[in-house]
Amino acid sequence: MSNQPGCHFSVALTSLLCCTTNQASLSVSPSSSQLFEGQFVSLSCEEDDSSAGRTLRRNTTRETRTECGGKWGKSTGSMCNLSHIVPMDSGVYWCQSREGATSNSINITVTGGSVILQSPVLPVMEGDDVTLHCKTKTSNLPADFYKDGSLIRTEPAGHMTIHNVSMSDEGVYKCHSSSHGESPPSWITVTAPPPVSSPLQFVFRLVCYLVVFCPYFISTLLMVSLYRHRSTGNDPPVSMVMTPLFQAEQGLDDDCDDVIVSVTTEHHF
Ligand SMILES: *[C@@H]1O[C@H](CO)[C@@H](O)[C@H](O)[C@H]1NC(C)=O
Ligand SMILES: *[C@@H]1O[C@H](CO)[C@@H](O)[C@H](O)[C@H]1NC(C)=O
Ligand SMILES: *[C@@H]1O[C@H](CO)[C@@H](O)[C@H](O)[C@H]1NC(C)=O
């Protein structure tokens, strides 16, 4: 189809503009920064393109930059499983390419105690809502929630929601239950939303229209003037000339939407 080259071009432009953020990102399941001893955890390097040879590494109090599959964890491809975590697995985890490029890092705290604060592993976006749970292995606990050492709220239901998160909500959180004791502390980091979507959307749309629409427009003009030259006196059948132009514009819209969707979902941290 004749509208392909334009969007190939803008795909190339996409990867060009996004290359700074286009790196592996690390995710963890279950998605909590605190976990109980004995739980199963799966860490995964979500890869961008080709890059094989990514390793998952960690720093703990005892080890530095050790690789999954060696003394800890079981590695398959870009995934690393820990089947029975212990407090010594607490630390910071990240993915690293052979060239040394690193992903976002994740702090994981494993407790041998009976209370965890379930908080986001990844940074929270400014403006979002975030809910913290104070939990035992089986249920939420009525609890006091602390930020940077000060009591901020008492929640009988055991969970606390911070609405419309701002930079000032960043800090160290923990919870305390009178019946079960205290959770370990965890950092909650807040980031500004990526300024990617709207200006880029505009640029892609503009590029698509310029690259694809212009040749159509010009060739349509040429066709019209050809008709004019050949059949002077007779009006050219305008509808016949206009139809391909209209279709091209629709096809173009679809292709560009595809490109834009793939761009806006690419949030790497
Ligand atoms: C891991 O530990 C090393 C040595 O202490 C340090 O240089 C590095 O920044 C640490 N990595 C992370 C992601 O914290
Ligand atoms: C790791 O766990 C996932 C499920 O979370 C499973 O699909 C995969 O086979 C496991 N890999 C290993 C090496 O155990
Ligand atoms: C991990 O924890 C350290 C403190 O122990 C903190 O300085 C750092 O910001 C945390 N990193 C993330 C990604 O939360």
Coordinates of all heavy atoms in Angstrom, one line a residue, residues 33 91-93 104-109 120-123 170 172 185-189, ligand 3:
S33 N 6.9 -4.4 47.7 CA 8.3 -4.2 48.1 C 8.6 -4.9 49.4 O 9.8 -5.1 49.7 CB 8.5 -2.7 48.3 OG 7.6 -2.2 49.2
G91 N 17.2 -6.8 49.5 CA 18.3 -6.0 48.9 C 17.7 -5.3 47.7 O 16.5 -5.1 47.5
V92 N 18.7 -4.8 46.8 CA 18.3 -4.1 45.6 C 18.6 -5.0 44.4 O 19.6 -5.6 44.3 CB 18.9 -2.7 45.6 CG1 20.4 -2.7 45.8 CG2 18.6 -2.0 44.3
Y93 N 17.6 -5.1 43.5 CA 17.7 -5.9 42.4 C 17.6 -5.1 41.1 O 16.9 -4.1 41.0 CB 16.5 -6.9 42.4 CG 16.6 -8.0 43.5 CD1 16.4 -7.6 44.8 CD2 16.9 -9.3 43.2 CE1 16.4 -8.6 45.8 CE2 17.0 -10.3 44.2 CZ 16.8 -9.9 45.5 OH 16.8 -10.9 46.5
N104 N 15.9 0.0 35.8 CA 15.4 0.5 37.1 C 15.8 -0.5 38.1 O 15.9 -1.7 37.8 CB 13.9 0.7 37.0 CG 13.2 -0.6 36.8 OD1 13.5 -1.3 35.8 ND2 12.2 -0.9 37.6
S105 N 16.0 -0.1 39.3 CA 16.3 -1.1 40.4 C 15.1 -1.1 41.3 O 14.3 -0.2 41.4 CB 17.5 -0.7 41.1 OG 17.5 0.6 41.6
I106 N 15.0 -2.3 42.0 CA 13.8 -2.5 42.9 C 14.3 -2.9 44.2 O 15.3 -3.7 44.3 CB 12.9 -3.6 42.3 CG1 12.1 -3.1 41.1 CG2 12.1 -4.3 43.3 CD1 11.3 -4.2 40.4
N107 N 13.8 -2.3 45.3 CA 14.1 -2.7 46.6 C 13.2 -3.7 47.1 O 12.0 -3.6 47.0 CB 14.0 -1.5 47.6 CG 15.2 -0.5 47.5 OD1 16.2 -0.9 47.0 ND2 15.0 0.7 48.0
I108 N 13.7 -4.8 47.6 CA 12.8 -5.9 48.2 C 13.3 -6.1 49.6 O 14.5 -6.3 49.9 CB 12.9 -7.2 47.4 CG1 12.3 -6.9 46.0 CG2 12.2 -8.3 48.1 CD1 12.5 -8.1 45.0
T109 N 12.3 -6.1 50.5 CA 12.5 -6.4 51.9 C 11.8 -7.7 52.3 O 10.6 -7.8 52.1 CB 12.1 -5.3 52.8 OG1 12.7 -4.1 52.4 CG2 12.5 -5.5 54.3
P120 N 4.0 0.0 46.7 CA 4.4 -0.2 45.3 C 5.9 -0.4 45.2 O 6.7 0.3 45.9 CB 4.0 1.1 44.6 CG 3.1 1.8 45.5 CD 3.4 1.3 46.9
V121 N 6.3 -1.3 44.3 CA 7.8 -1.6 44.1 C 8.3 -0.5 43.2 O 9.5 -0.1 43.3 CB 8.1 -2.9 43.4 CG1 8.7 -3.8 44.3 CG2 6.9 -3.5 42.7
L122 N 7.5 -0.1 42.2 CA 7.9 0.9 41.2 C 7.6 2.3 41.7 O 6.7 2.5 42.6 CB 7.3 0.7 39.9 CG 7.6 -0.7 39.3 CD1 6.8 -0.9 38.0 CD2 9.1 -0.8 39.0
P123 N 8.3 3.3 41.3 CA 8.0 4.7 41.7 C 6.5 5.0 41.3 O 6.0 4.5 40.3 CB 8.9 5.5 40.8 CG 10.1 4.6 40.5 CD 9.5 3.3 40.4
E170 N 6.7 11.5 49.1 CA 7.9 10.6 49.0 C 8.5 10.4 50.4 O 8.5 11.4 51.2 CB 8.9 11.2 48.1 CG 9.9 10.2 47.6 CD 10.7 10.8 46.4 OE1 11.6 11.6 46.7 OE2 10.4 10.4 45.3
V172 N 9.8 7.3 53.7 CA 9.8 5.9 54.3 C 8.6 5.7 55.1 O 8.2 6.4 56.0 CB 11.1 5.8 55.2 CG1 11.1 4.4 55.8 CG2 12.4 6.1 54.4
P185 N 10.4 -1.0 57.3 CA 10.1 0.3 56.6 C 10.4 0.1 55.1 O 11.2 -0.8 54.7 CB 11.2 1.2 57.2 CG 12.3 0.3 57.6 CD 11.7 -1.0 58.0
S186 N 9.7 0.9 54.3 CA 10.0 0.9 52.8 C 9.9 2.3 52.2 O 9.1 3.1 52.7 CB 8.9 0.0 52.1 OG 9.3 -1.3 52.0
W187 N 10.7 2.5 51.2 CA 10.7 3.8 50.5 C 9.6 3.8 49.5 O 9.4 2.8 48.8 CB 12.0 3.9 49.7 CG 13.1 4.7 50.4 CD1 14.1 4.2 51.1 CD2 13.1 6.1 50.4 NE1 14.8 5.3 51.6 CE2 14.3 6.5 51.1 CE3 12.4 7.2 49.8 CZ2 14.7 7.8 51.4 CZ3 12.7 8.5 50.0 CH2 13.9 8.8 50.8
I188 N 8.9 4.9 49.5 CA 8.0 5.2 48.3 C 8.6 6.3 47.6 O 8.8 7.4 48.1 CB 6.6 5.4 48.8 CG1 6.0 4.2 49.4 CG2 5.7 5.9 47.6 CD1 4.6 4.3 49.9
T189 N 8.9 6.1 46.3 CA 9.4 7.2 45.5 C 8.3 7.7 44.5 O 7.5 6.9 44.0 CB 10.6 6.7 44.6 OG1 10.6 5.3 44.5 CG2 11.9 7.0 45.3
Ligands
LIG3 C1 16.0 1.7 48.0 O1 16.3 1.9 49.4 C2 17.3 2.9 49.6 C3 17.4 3.0 51.1 O2 17.6 1.7 51.7 C4 16.8 4.2 49.1 O3 17.8 5.2 49.2 C5 16.5 4.1 47.6 O4 15.9 5.3 47.1 C6 15.5 2.9 47.3 N1 15.4 2.7 45.9 C7 14.2 2.6 45.3 C8 14.1 2.4 43.9 O5 13.1 2.6 46.0

